[in-house]
Amino acid sequence: MRGLDEIIVNAIMHTVKKEISSKDLEDMEQQLQNYGMHMNEIFYKFPEMKKSLSRFTDDLKVIEDEILKDFLIVERDPKTSEIWLVIKNQYLTELILKTFADPDKKAIMDLIRDEAETIPKILERCKIPNTSGYRKMNQLIDEKMVTATGMAETFEGKRAILYKSVVRGSR
């Protein structure tokens, strides 16, 4: 679930930055740094976050109301009993749609949906040139659409990072 957590936190942070004034956001960041935390960690360390941001109670209520309301819902398909996440957040929806609209990114995501692979093997198997392939992989990593899952040894005896898609299926 780590990959899904990261992509949701990334989308929430994007929305937070839109909802809160830059001055208040700066003050929040400073207050968090006093406790040795960064803004994106607040979702993983909620009790510490609540304590360190107690003077921002009204802003936190705005965040909760505006961001988490209609962010995503969990549904069970009555016919198959499959569980689906229905994404309602515009930023996250656009991110996913743009990712799958790019043929190279879609090929990458499809390849590493079930089994992790190293970047050189991904680019080779998807027949994507190295220059654009590494750029697209870095975008997918930055957007949290793929996550590192471990290490593998290359044919040269070096260690390389294995990546896997956080999206297992879409409909």
Side-chain angles (χ1 to χ4, degrees):
M1 206 56 167
R2 179 177 155 246
L4 180 61
D5 291 348
E6 288 180 5
I7 197 170
I8 290 172
V9 166
N10 193 36
I12 290 172
M13 287 306 302
H14 181 270
T15 307
V16 165
K17 289 174 182 175
K18 281 180 24 185
E19 295 293 330
I20 297 178
S21 73
S22 58
K23 168 102 175 76
D24 286 344
L25 193 58
E26 219 172 271
D27 289 347
M28 288 175 134
E29 284 278 6
Q30 183 59 47
Q31 189 67 27
L32 284 167
Q33 287 176 1
N34 292 340
Y35 286 87
M37 294 175 62
H38 295 282
M39 189 65 115
N40 62 344
E41 293 176 312
I42 64 177
F43 301 98
Y44 300 105
K45 300 177 179 179
F46 190 76
E48 294 95 333
M49 184 262 329
K50 198 171 178 182
K51 178 182 170 189
S52 67
L53 297 178
S54 60
R55 71 183 183 117
F56 297 103
T57 303
D58 292 338
D59 289 331
L60 291 174
K61 185 68 178 148
V62 168
I63 292 170
E64 182 179 22
D65 291 347
E66 293 300 316
I67 297 172
L68 300 179
K69 169 187 82 171
D70 298 329
F71 195 80
L72 60 84
I73 57 174
V74 179
E75 288 184 351
R76 182 180 296 273
D77 186 324
K79 295 177 185 170
T80 64
S81 294
E82 290 180 322
I83 297 174
W84 289 89
L85 290 178
V86 179
I87 301 165
K88 294 186 159 200
N89 176 268
Q90 182 180 350
Y91 169 78
L92 189 51
T93 301
E94 288 176 5
L95 174 67
I96 292 168
L97 290 174
K98 286 178 184 176
T99 297
F100 284 95
D102 180 311
D104 290 339
K105 287 183 179 180
K106 182 181 183 323
I108 291 168
M109 297 290 286
D110 288 343
L111 177 72
I112 58 176
R113 178 173 291 148
D114 298 317
E115 201 170 315
E117 195 54 83
T118 63
I119 293 176
K121 287 233 171 130
I122 292 168
L123 301 182
E124 177 186 324
R125 291 177 63 191
C126 291
K127 296 180 172 65
I128 301 172
N130 280 349
T131 304
S132 61
Y134 273 93
R135 180 176 41 80
K136 290 181 184 204
M137 275 300 297
N138 284 328
Q139 288 170 351
L140 290 169
I141 293 165
D142 291 344
E143 294 164 347
K144 311 298 186 206
M145 294 296 290
V146 300
T147 186
T149 60
M151 301 291 282
E153 194 167 314
T154 66
F155 68 93
E156 301 158 337
K158 296 180 182 176
R159 303 207 23 98
I161 300 170
L162 292 167
Y163 291 96
K164 191 169 182 181
S165 169
V166 298
V167 178
R168 298 290 177 258
S170 61
R171 213 181 335 174

